Amino acid sequence: MSSMRNAVQRRNHRERAQPKERQKWGVLEKHTDYSLRAKDYNEKKKRLQILRQKAADRNPEEFHFEMISSKTHDRGQKFTDRGNAVLSQNTVKLLKTQDACFLKTMIQTTRKVRERLEQEVTIGGGEDVGLTSGEFGRVQSRHMCFVDTVEEQKQFNTKGVPGTKRAEFSPAFDPSRVEQDDLLEIGEEIDNGPSQLRKLRKTSSSHRDLKEDDSALRKDKFLRKLRKRGKEARTSRLNLLKLRERELLAAEQEIGLQRAKMNHSVRGMNKTGVKWKPRERKK
């Protein structure tokens, strides 16, 4: 019987919401929230009680050398030695010189890439250059036709021949793909007379032209989409290069200022707010 009671769908008990007149006080506090808040409050209360007891039991004459060797921050944080070896002044100067040389190299490299990309965008005149089909790995096919004489070569019409520049060939009208029934129907219409032949040729040529126009429009739309994507990619990359160049220049200026302060060649202010100026040679 208990198994059947568990199989029946029971009512979902929802938590009580905050009344409308008390919504300005936020979400209604549940018992779990109260338990966590009370536990945290009691822990802090015990901690403060222990600190008060330690302060009351403190020996005013107690002394050990760590009291004067260590320092404490204003917020109560204690400064301790991490065990790292202290570098000499000359070693730090050499390291900062190497950092400055590395930053100069990176700035020059970034500037060259940025200038080359700006030239490509400028030469394109707002349009992306080089967005042809060959650049995306699709090589245009070529078709070579042979004739017997020079006169046939001059009179040869490349329209409808695949791979020619004058007109693109539509695979839908490839003669090798025409079915046998269609050929028989075309033969019967041709046998009816020259008028039917002219009408058939006119209809087929117009249909072929429409297909060619449709193919050209689809190809033009695809190329426009490629140009748009390429333009967005170039613009995004150019902005990133400019931002990186600005950050590198700022880092180089900061390194130069630090080196100048270490050489006492510029004015400055230390951490405690005391101003100082470089020592000048007496004349």
Side-chain angles (χ1 to χ4, degrees), residues 18-257:
Q18 182 75 281
K20 291 184 179 181
E21 60 273 7
R22 293 182 55 86
Q23 284 184 355
K24 62 179 181 180
W25 305 114
V27 183
L28 181 65
E29 186 181 30
K30 306 301 186 296
H31 179 71
T32 307
D33 303 330
Y34 166 75
S35 301
L36 294 175
R37 185 167 58 85
K39 183 179 179 181
D40 182 64
Y41 171 76
N42 293 326
E43 288 180 355
K44 291 179 180 178
K45 187 177 180 180
K46 291 179 181 179
R47 199 178 308 163
L48 289 174
Q49 187 177 1
I50 293 172
L51 291 176
R52 291 193 189 98
Q53 187 66 29
K54 286 184 177 181
D57 298 341
R58 182 177 61 87
N59 183 10
E61 297 181 357
E62 181 182 2
F63 173 78
H64 50 86
F65 287 98
E66 191 177 356
M67 291 182 178
I68 60 177
S69 61
S70 63
K71 297 180 180 180
T72 307
H73 198 269
D74 297 337
R75 295 191 296 267
Q77 298 175 356
K78 188 176 181 180
F79 294 106
T80 58
D81 186 12
R82 297 182 180 179
N84 300 328
V86 180
L87 300 178
S88 62
Q89 191 79 356
N90 295 330
T91 305
V92 175
K93 288 182 181 179
L94 178 60
L95 292 176
K96 289 188 179 297
T97 304
Q98 293 179 356
D99 294 342
C101 295
F102 172 74
L103 288 175
K104 288 181 181 179
T105 305
M106 295 303 297
I107 288 173
Q108 292 177 0
T109 305
T110 307
R111 183 180 292 115
K112 288 182 180 179
V113 177
R114 191 255 306 164
E115 291 177 353
R116 183 171 65 251
L117 189 60
E118 284 182 348
Q119 290 178 0
E120 292 179 0
V121 175
T122 305
I123 291 175
E127 296 289 339
D128 278 337
V129 294
L131 290 176
T132 57
S133 59
E135 189 176 357
F136 292 90
R138 292 186 291 274
V139 182
Q140 293 182 355
S141 59
R142 297 180 179 179
H143 189 83
M144 185 176 295
C145 300
F146 296 91
V147 293
D148 296 333
T149 60
V150 180
E151 288 76 8
E152 292 181 1
Q153 181 183 4
K154 294 180 179 180
Q155 298 176 1
F156 184 76
N157 186 11
T158 59
K159 186 175 182 181
V161 180
T164 56
K165 298 182 179 179
R166 189 173 300 180
E168 292 293 334
F169 180 75
S170 178
F173 293 94
D174 192 353
S176 61
R177 298 184 181 181
V178 180
E179 298 181 359
Q180 190 68 21
D181 297 338
D182 296 339
L183 293 176
L184 293 176
E185 293 177 3
I186 293 174
E188 292 176 359
E189 292 180 1
I190 292 176
D191 294 336
N192 291 334
S195 60
Q196 296 291 338
L197 178 60
R198 287 193 298 269
K199 184 178 181 181
L200 177 62
R201 288 178 178 177
K202 185 177 180 180
T203 305
S204 60
S205 61
S206 61
H207 194 50
R208 191 187 304 114
D209 293 340
L210 290 176
K211 287 290 184 179
E212 290 177 358
D213 294 342
D214 188 20
S215 176
L217 289 175
R218 279 190 270 108
K219 184 177 180 180
D220 186 47
K221 183 179 179 180
F222 176 72
L223 291 178
R224 284 201 305 269
K225 185 181 293 184
L226 290 181
R227 293 191 187 97
K228 183 179 180 181
R229 290 181 180 177
K231 185 177 180 180
E232 292 176 355
R234 288 169 183 266
T235 305
S236 177
R237 187 184 178 191
L238 185 60
N239 294 334
L240 290 177
L241 288 174
K242 290 181 179 179
L243 178 61
R244 178 176 176 82
E245 186 177 1
R246 287 196 298 268
E247 292 177 351
L248 290 173
L249 287 173
E252 184 186 16
Q253 292 178 0
E254 184 64 24
I255 289 289
L257 181 60

Side-chain angles (χ1 to χ4, degrees), residues 257-274:
L257 181 60
Q258 292 180 5
R259 292 175 59 193
K261 287 182 179 180
M262 294 178 67
N263 294 328
H264 301 286
S265 58
V266 295
R267 297 186 178 186
M269 181 186 300
N270 58 12
K271 296 180 180 179
T272 57
V274 179

